Amino acid sequence: MSRYGSTLGVAALLLVCQLGHGASDDCSVVSVSRDGTRTSRGCAEVDVHDALRGFSTKKVDGKTEEVPTVHPNFEFMKGSRWLWNNWREVEFTTDGSFVAPAENCDVKGNAACKWSATDEAVIVHFGGAGAHTLTVEGNSMSGSRDSDGEGVSAVRVA
């Protein structure tokens, strides 16, 4: 199994193949819920690399925005605070923002400071420090910065 989760990878790949590597303005799909309710929806372009990293994209006012997604395995992290590298507390907000007292991540909503999760890992974009990939076990997590492998750990405080 890949570090980003095989289930999500296969689903994202199938979606891209089904849509022919992108969506046109006249594309629509019908989703059917368990109770039989049918809902027609527009299609969206999917970047497979971002989908594997726990992000999807959407267009807002003609601009493409990256939207964090959180696998159900990590729903418990929404709104939680963690002691990062025995240094300071950081927050994993419910909207996917990553709030930390460094790298311009001290204000919720900074596009360079966000988090997401696949079925196996938490991905943190920590401003100028870049992306970090971590695994969670109970109230602690560990991993590394993607660019250079520097280790990182955190312990849940709230």
Side-chain angles (χ1 to χ4, degrees), residues 21-34:
H21 301 288
S24 65
D25 292 335
D26 60 349
C27 177
S28 66
V29 295
V30 175
S31 63
V32 180
S33 62
R34 289 183 182 152

Side-chain angles (χ1 to χ4, degrees), residues 50 53-58 65-71 78 93-98 111 113-117 123 125:
D50 287 342
R53 302 264 312 143
F55 293 90
S56 60
T57 56
K58 70 176 183 177
E65 292 183 6
E66 197 173 65
V67 180
T69 57
V70 177
H71 189 276
K78 290 183 175 180
T93 69
T94 57
D95 72 353
S97 293
F98 177 73
C113 306
K114 56 194 166 202
W115 74 282
S116 64
I123 294 85
H125 289 266

Side-chain angles (χ1 to χ4, degrees), residues 40-72:
S40 181
R41 301 168 190 248
C43 298
E45 292 184 33
V46 175
D47 181 309
V48 173
H49 181 263
D50 287 342
L52 294 175
R53 302 264 312 143
F55 293 90
S56 60
T57 56
K58 70 176 183 177
K59 289 200 177 202
V60 176
D61 297 327
K63 296 179 185 176
T64 301
E65 292 183 6
E66 197 173 65
V67 180
T69 57
V70 177
H71 189 276

